[in-house]
Amino acid sequence: MSVIGSLSLILLLWSGVEEVRLDQLQQRLATGKDTTFVVNFWATWCKPCVEELPAFDKLSRRYKDEPVKVILVSLDNPAERQTKVEPFLKRRGYELCDAVVLNEPKPHLWIDRVDQSWSGSIPATLFIRGERRLFGEFQFSPELLESIFSTFQAEGK
Amino acid sequence: MKYLLMMMFAVVSLVAQQGAPSSGVAVGDPAPSFRLKNIDGKYVSFDDYRSSKGLVLVFTCNHCPYSVKYEDRIIALANETAKLGFPLVAINPNDPVKVPEDSYDNMKVRAKEKGFTFPYIVDETQEVAKQYGAKRTPHVFVVTNSSGSWKVAYIGAIDDNANDADKVESRFVLDAVKSLASGAAPAVTQTKAIGCTIKWKE
């Protein structure tokens, strides 16, 4: 295999959708003190989730030069990470959002760790900046997402 | 419009701060009665189960991939809990306008295809789902019957692994029913699970 071939293969592998445990995700959210994380829980099989994803893509593009990070957390079966989730995201062109597949088999143990108020239905979204957090369990239109995001950004500043 | 957005934000904040949603029943509460149409056209209510120790009410539907993942497990569960005196009743709460796959006619088709041995009833007004506080499909409520007094004994998931039935370690509903059937309180009375949101009418 040529050097360029090997390099592009490495790049391809590197840019894929990672599989994470909740601990890893929470560590990441705890690192960026000034960064606002918008964490959307979704799945390829969830129709309202798929419908609202463009709103999150739009948000990530709009704030790409600011300390704002949209993380798409897929709750698809981790076994379908490469066959379903990656092709889906690639096809839609959501490359500005970070995407991970959550690998936590026991929902009754981890749902409360994301937010006590979460019933477990998706879509669900967590806004987090340092100590501030806001959790909601409903489908966003682009306008509503932008509005709630702006309000969240303005508060505590 | 702006006012509406602020209201929505207030609601979101409220939910975020207060923890569990306030609507619906809690474990120990009286179980709301219902009378809903089965796929055979007959109505199903608590009155049909006077001699049962209780019921396993499963809010589920045709279209939701999580419900589909659990379909065979629900059929197996129904046989096991019925033997213990807790027949299973499946309730479809979804708006068929939003999801045509969940229409009454499609319920009949699915029940026949899969050979459902239990009622599959339709919550047309969505009132029963609201009274129970069902949030997603599948969402289970185990209720007990003590001489016509029905109470909620378990709320939550069927088991602890939706993706892989072979890797299930805790069968929450079956365990709860086993305890209740033997006159004991279930060790686990409430669990959460991922699922599809119930498709409410606009």
Side-chain angles (χ1 to χ4, degrees), chain B residues 59-99:
Chain B
F59 289 90
T60 187
C61 64
N62 286 350
H63 92 279
C64 168
Y66 257 71
S67 294
V68 174
K69 277 180 191 184
Y70 270 110
E71 228 161 32
D72 292 338
R73 281 182 258 181
I74 290 171
I75 294 168
L77 180 70
N79 292 330
E80 292 173 285
T81 61
K83 282 180 203 151
L84 295 164
F86 285 74
L88 184 145
V89 175
I91 307 172
N92 171 17
N94 279 349
D95 176 14
V97 175
K98 275 194 176 164
V99 192

Side-chain angles (χ1 to χ4, degrees), chain A:
Chain A
M1 197 188 278
S2 71
V3 174
I4 293 176
S6 321
L7 266 178
S8 42
L9 183 67
I10 290 167
L11 275 174
L12 262 177
L13 290 174
W14 187 63
S15 63
V17 177
E18 253 187 284
E19 190 178 305
V20 297
R21 302 299 302 248
L22 187 58
D23 277 343
Q24 294 169 288
L25 180 64
Q26 288 185 321
Q27 273 162 21
R28 169 143 192 234
L29 300 181
T31 51
K33 290 271 174 275
D34 301 324
T35 301
T36 301
F37 291 101
V38 180
V39 189
N40 176 246
F41 295 89
W42 72 290
T44 56
W45 50 259
C46 163
K47 198 166 157 249
C49 304
V50 170
E51 281 171 4
E52 73 168 359
L53 281 181
F56 289 87
D57 180 53
K58 201 174 161 191
L59 192 80
S60 66
R61 287 173 193 279
R62 181 161 179 170
Y63 295 99
K64 67 178 162 52
D65 299 325
E66 294 180 37
V68 174
K69 197 72 218 171
V70 175
I71 305 179
L72 304 180
V73 181
S74 153
L75 303 183
D76 285 270
N77 188 343
E80 294 173 336
R81 177 172 61 90
Q82 285 172 312
T83 53
K84 257 194 188 161
V85 183
E86 282 188 6
F88 177 92
L89 292 168
K90 219 171 240 177
R91 202 165 57 235
R92 298 272 180 138
Y94 297 150
E95 66 273 10
L96 283 186
C97 307
D98 277 11
V100 294
V101 172
L102 190 68
N103 181 12
E104 288 288 345
K106 294 183 188 299
H108 66 292
L109 297 180
W110 67 262
I111 289 174
D112 276 342
R113 290 170 56 207
V114 174
D115 199 278
Q116 291 274 338
S117 74
W118 190 7
S119 82
S121 74
I122 52 174
T125 302
L126 174 68
F127 300 81
I128 189 160
R129 184 180 69 242
E131 298 293 302
R132 292 191 53 74
R133 49 184 287 137
L134 177 66
F135 181 84
E137 195 172 332
F138 52 75
Q139 187 181 355
F140 281 112
S141 65
E143 296 74 27
L144 183 61
L145 180 62
E146 175 65 36
S147 160
I148 287 193
F149 175 79
S150 312
T151 315
F152 183 77
Q153 283 293 74
E155 275 189 16
K157 275 202 170 171

